[in-house]
């Protein structure tokens, strides 16, 4: 068995420096300075003139650790997209309504929104390595329970249990990545890490479609068990522990504010289509959610030990990166939702056939994202982000012309072209934003990053659904005169049904086209924001990072 990386306690300064003027947790650790007679409270640093070059073994250690983190991230994100494919089959097996079965996804999103803000604190309290291992074990157990669910109620309960470790994994993994990877290698490392963020949702429909159509829908959960077991063993062997227990007091009031705010906001947006956007429950939930988030900001600015440091938003590079990530995530998940719906409802394709059409874009992302990371290491975030978002905007514009007569080959090419832009832009944007912050703030920034990715996907999809529903209702009303009330006009009821199907398809195509035009404009706005990202080759780290 490969020996676990040693903790060089005698040679390494502590992760947290409690003295005034220090930056707190340091991702780059230096050899401890020799004792000096400096005044009390003055942070003493050794000159960074001659750091020891990292040995080949040290380089291999962080690469292997990165692969372990990618596997865990891939598993947790894949589960979100792969479950959506099995929703109709689960509905039939459990004998429930469409509204009821939607809680299989909703319960996971709500529970994850509650746990993510506390994930950074848990990582520091337990130790990042220990927190990651426990989250992997918990996610595997939760997946097994979901696969054994015997009713809708049991499935919802198990999905909540699964979401708790599922919310911890991305925050802890991203924080660890910034602590173990040398700064000059962050772009390449984030390119690999991005496979879990973007490639996993893209491959989900293909894998899920095959399992649902040809095997059993329960395998979409059981498939996480071997990944979780192998990932846990690899984490025990290769991941550093980063200590634990050295952390601030838990900010209960801040946690209650952000957790309840995100819960209310996500619930209101999810139910808005069924309850009505102007209904009292939806308005109350959204209003409370916004007020609770505003209260969270006030609390975090006043308390001595904030749960998440809101001062990270004073960095324009980081704030701008979150806006751009929200734009990309909303567009990505919106297309991944509506394209399969169109193919299955309007063209009668099966789940696996639909997944195969989406497979090329996933493969393109798998190739482009690591390359985008290398580009970031050379030129910074601005240029790959601008070019990538411009490609996404044009690709989204091409989707606005889709109709039922568009060939599958053309659709696959458009999606693959659009995937080039997503793969090129996503990770340089995220890396550039996080790299603009001091190392001591990366843990909290990782939590904000995860919250924005998850919530923007949910908010974007809810907004798109509202636009589609409103547009379709208007189109149906405008075209109602096209369907005569007398079936004899067509010669048979079958003729009337055929015309109704044709009308339904035309209305969907028109509404989808309008939605893609709006998304194109939003993405074009993102291109303008991308010009404000930092450029230039990222600065090198002061010395080799230490694997604890």
């Amino acid at each position: 068995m490969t020996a676990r990386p040693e903790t060089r306690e005698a040679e390494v300064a502590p992760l947290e420096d409690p003295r005034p003027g220090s930056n707190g947790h340091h991702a780059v650790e230096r050899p401890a300075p020799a004792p000096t007679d400096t005044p009390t409270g003055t942070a003493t640093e050794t000159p960074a003139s001659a750091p020891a070059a990292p040995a080949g073994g040290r380089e291999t250690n962080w690469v292997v650790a990165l692969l372990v983190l990618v596997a865990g991230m891939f598993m947790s994100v894949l589960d979100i997209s792969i479950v959506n494919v099995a929703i109709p089959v689960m509905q039939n097996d459990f004998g429930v309504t469409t509204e009821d079965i939607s809680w299989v996804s909703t319960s996971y999103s709500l529970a994850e929104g509650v746990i993510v803000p506390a994930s950074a604190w848990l990582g520091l309290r337990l130790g990042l390595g220990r927190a990651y291992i426990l989250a992997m074990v918990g996610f595997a157990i939760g997946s097994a329970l979901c696969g054994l669910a015997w009713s809708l109620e049991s499935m919802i309960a198990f999905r909540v249990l699964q979401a708790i470790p599922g919310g911890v994994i991305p925050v802890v993994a991203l924080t660890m990545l910034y602590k173990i990877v040398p700064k000059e290698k962050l772009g390449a490392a984030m390119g690999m890490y991005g496979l879990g963020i973007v490639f996993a949702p893209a491959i989900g429909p293909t894998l899920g479609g095959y399992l649902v159509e040809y095997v059993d829908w329960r395998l979409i959960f059981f498939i996480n068990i071997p990944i979780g077991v192998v990932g846990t063993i690899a984490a025990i062997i290769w991941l550093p522990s980063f200590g634990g227990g050295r952390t601030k007091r838990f900010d209960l009031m801040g946690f209650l504010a952000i957790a309840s705010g995100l819960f209310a906001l996500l619930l209101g947006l999810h139910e808005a289509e069924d309850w009505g956007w102007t209904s009292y429950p939806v308005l109350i939930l959204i209003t409370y959610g916004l007020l609770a988030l505003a209260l969270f900001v006030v609390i975090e600015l006043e308390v001595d030990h904030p749960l998440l440091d809101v001062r990270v938003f004073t960095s324009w590079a980081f704030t701008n990166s979150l806006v751009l990530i929200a734009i990309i995530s909303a567009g990505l998940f919106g297309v991944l939702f509506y394209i399969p719906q169109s193919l299955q409802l309007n063209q009668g394709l099966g789940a696996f056939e639909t997944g195969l059409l989406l497979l090329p874009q996933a493969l393109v992302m798998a190739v482009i994202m690591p390359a985008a990371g290398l580009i970031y290491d050379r030129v910074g975030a601005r240029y790959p982000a601008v070019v990538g978002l411009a490609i996404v905007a044009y690709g989204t514009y091409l989707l606005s012309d889709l109709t039922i007569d568009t060939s599958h080959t053309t659709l696959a090419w458009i999606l693959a072209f659009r995937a080039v832009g997503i793969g090129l832009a996503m990770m340089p944007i995220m890396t550039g934003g996080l790299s603009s912050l001091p190392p001591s703030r990366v843990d909290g920034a990782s939590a904000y990053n995860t919250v924005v990715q998850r919530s923007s996907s949910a908010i974007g999809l809810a907004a798109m659904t509202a636009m589609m529903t409103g547009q379709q209702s208007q189109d149906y009303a405008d075209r109602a005169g096209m369907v005569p009330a007398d079936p004899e006009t067509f010669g048979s009821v079958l003729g009337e049904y055929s015309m109704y199907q044709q009308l339904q398809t035309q209305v969907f195509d028109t509404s989808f086209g309008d939605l893609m035009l709006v998304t194109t404009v939003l993405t074009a706005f993102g291109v303008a924001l991308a010009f404000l990202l930092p450029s230039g080759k990222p600065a090198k780290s002061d010395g080799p990072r230490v694997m604890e």
Side-chain angles (χ1 to χ4, degrees):
M1 180 177 292
T2 305
R4 191 174 169 158
E6 297 179 359
T7 303
R8 304 192 306 178
E9 296 181 355
E11 303 175 10
V12 180
L15 280 173
E16 183 171 351
D17 188 348
R19 296 171 296 173
S22 69
N23 285 329
H25 298 282
H26 290 273
V28 181
E29 297 177 304
R30 304 180 179 85
T36 61
D37 295 330
T38 56
T40 303
T42 303
T44 305
E45 295 188 35
T46 55
S49 56
R58 181 74 61 193
E59 178 85 6
T60 302
N61 280 349
W62 74 255
V63 172
V64 174
L66 172 63
L67 294 177
V68 175
L69 297 177
V70 169
M73 187 65 187
F74 184 88
M75 177 183 68
S76 65
V77 178
L78 175 67
D79 185 79
I80 298 174
S81 63
I82 200 174
V83 168
N84 293 333
V85 180
I87 291 293
V89 182
M90 284 190 276
Q91 180 182 349
N92 292 333
D93 280 6
F94 293 146
V96 296
T97 65
T98 302
E99 182 179 357
D100 291 337
I101 198 65
S102 67
W103 279 96
V104 172
S105 297
T106 303
S107 60
Y108 187 96
S109 299
L110 295 177
E112 189 180 49
V114 170
I115 194 63
V116 164
S119 298
W121 184 87
L122 286 172
L124 294 176
R125 181 68 177 178
L126 300 175
L128 292 172
R130 188 177 296 111
Y132 181 83
I133 291 170
L134 291 175
M136 289 287 285
V137 172
F139 196 84
I141 293 174
S143 299
L145 292 174
C146 288
L148 297 173
W150 57 89
S151 65
L152 177 63
E153 291 75 15
S154 62
M155 174 63 78
I156 292 174
F158 294 148
R159 285 286 282 170
V160 170
L161 292 177
Q162 185 191 34
I164 295 174
V168 174
I169 289 175
V171 176
V172 172
L174 187 57
T175 304
M176 291 182 72
L177 183 150
Y178 266 74
K179 290 183 179 294
I180 64 177
V181 177
K183 190 171 183 179
E184 64 272 17
K185 301 288 186 180
L186 276 178
M190 288 293 284
M192 292 295 297
Y193 180 79
L195 295 178
I197 297 176
V198 178
F199 176 65
I203 197 70
T206 307
L207 179 58
Y210 176 81
L211 294 177
V212 169
E213 195 165 332
Y214 295 106
V215 192
D216 191 316
W217 66 264
R218 295 181 183 274
L219 279 179
I220 66 173
F221 295 110
F222 289 143
I223 196 175
N224 291 328
I225 299 175
I227 299 176
V229 170
V230 173
T232 300
I233 295 173
I236 292 173
I237 297 173
W238 283 298
L239 283 188
S241 64
F242 289 105
R246 303 188 300 271
T247 188
K248 54 198 175 187
R249 185 172 66 247
F250 185 69
D251 176 19
L252 179 60
M253 295 304 296
F255 172 74
L256 292 176
I258 190 172
S260 63
L262 288 174
F263 183 92
L265 193 59
L266 292 173
L267 180 60
L269 291 171
H270 179 269
E271 297 296 337
E273 184 181 2
D274 294 327
W275 296 349
W277 283 91
T278 57
S279 64
Y280 284 121
V282 169
L283 292 177
I284 291 172
L285 285 170
I286 293 178
T287 301
Y288 173 80
L290 295 176
L291 291 176
L293 294 179
L295 177 62
F296 168 75
V297 173
V298 174
I299 292 174
E300 299 308 281
L301 290 174
E302 294 296 327
V303 298
D304 294 330
H305 303 287
L307 179 70
L308 296 174
D309 188 358
V310 297
R311 291 176 180 84
V312 295
F313 294 106
T314 59
S315 168
W316 165 247
F318 176 70
T319 304
N320 189 24
S321 72
L322 292 186
V323 174
L324 293 173
I325 288 171
I327 292 174
I328 295 176
S329 298
L332 172 65
F333 281 89
V335 169
L336 286 176
F337 179 80
Y338 282 109
I339 291 293
Q341 188 180 69
S342 175
L343 292 172
Q344 294 181 47
L345 296 180
N346 297 334
Q347 299 188 25
L349 296 186
F352 182 54
E353 292 176 301
T354 301
L356 286 179
L357 274 177
L358 300 178
L359 181 60
Q361 70 168 349
L363 297 178
V364 167
M365 287 183 192
V367 174
I368 294 296
M369 294 196 77
L374 295 175
I375 294 174
Y376 169 86
D377 285 334
R378 291 181 177 272
V379 301
R382 180 185 301 169
Y383 299 112
V386 169
V387 174
L389 285 170
I391 292 174
V392 174
Y394 183 63
T396 306
Y397 174 75
L398 294 177
L399 288 177
S400 67
D401 291 330
L402 288 184
T403 67
I404 192 174
D405 298 321
T406 303
S407 69
H408 293 166
T409 301
T410 300
L411 175 59
W413 275 110
I414 294 176
L415 292 176
F417 174 73
R418 192 169 175 271
V420 171
I422 295 174
L424 191 60
M426 185 69 164
M427 299 322 295
I429 290 172
M430 185 181 298
T431 310
L434 289 172
S435 297
S436 68
L437 300 173
S440 60
R441 293 184 175 181
V442 169
D443 51 355
S446 301
Y448 284 125
N449 221 303
T450 303
V451 168
V452 168
Q453 288 176 45
R454 300 292 197 268
S455 59
S456 61
S457 301
I459 294 172
L461 186 56
M464 289 181 176
T465 301
M467 292 177 59
M468 283 282 290
T469 302
Q471 183 69 30
Q472 286 176 317
S473 298
Q474 184 61 48
D475 283 351
Y476 277 126
D478 293 342
R479 304 187 189 197
M482 298 174 56
V483 183
D486 185 5
E488 293 181 359
T489 306
F490 302 97
S492 66
V493 175
L494 183 61
E496 181 183 355
Y497 178 75
S498 175
M499 176 163 279
Y500 175 76
Q501 287 288 91
Q502 184 179 2
L503 176 61
Q504 184 182 41
T505 301
Q506 291 174 351
V507 168
F508 183 92
D509 288 344
T510 301
S511 302
F512 180 77
D514 292 343
L515 181 62
M516 289 299 99
L517 288 177
V518 173
T519 308
T520 299
V521 173
L522 183 63
T523 309
F525 175 70
V527 175
L529 289 179
F531 275 105
L532 303 178
L533 288 171
S535 63
K537 189 173 182 179
K540 291 187 177 182
S541 57
D542 295 333
R545 300 195 177 202
V546 176
M547 299 278 290
E548 283 195 83

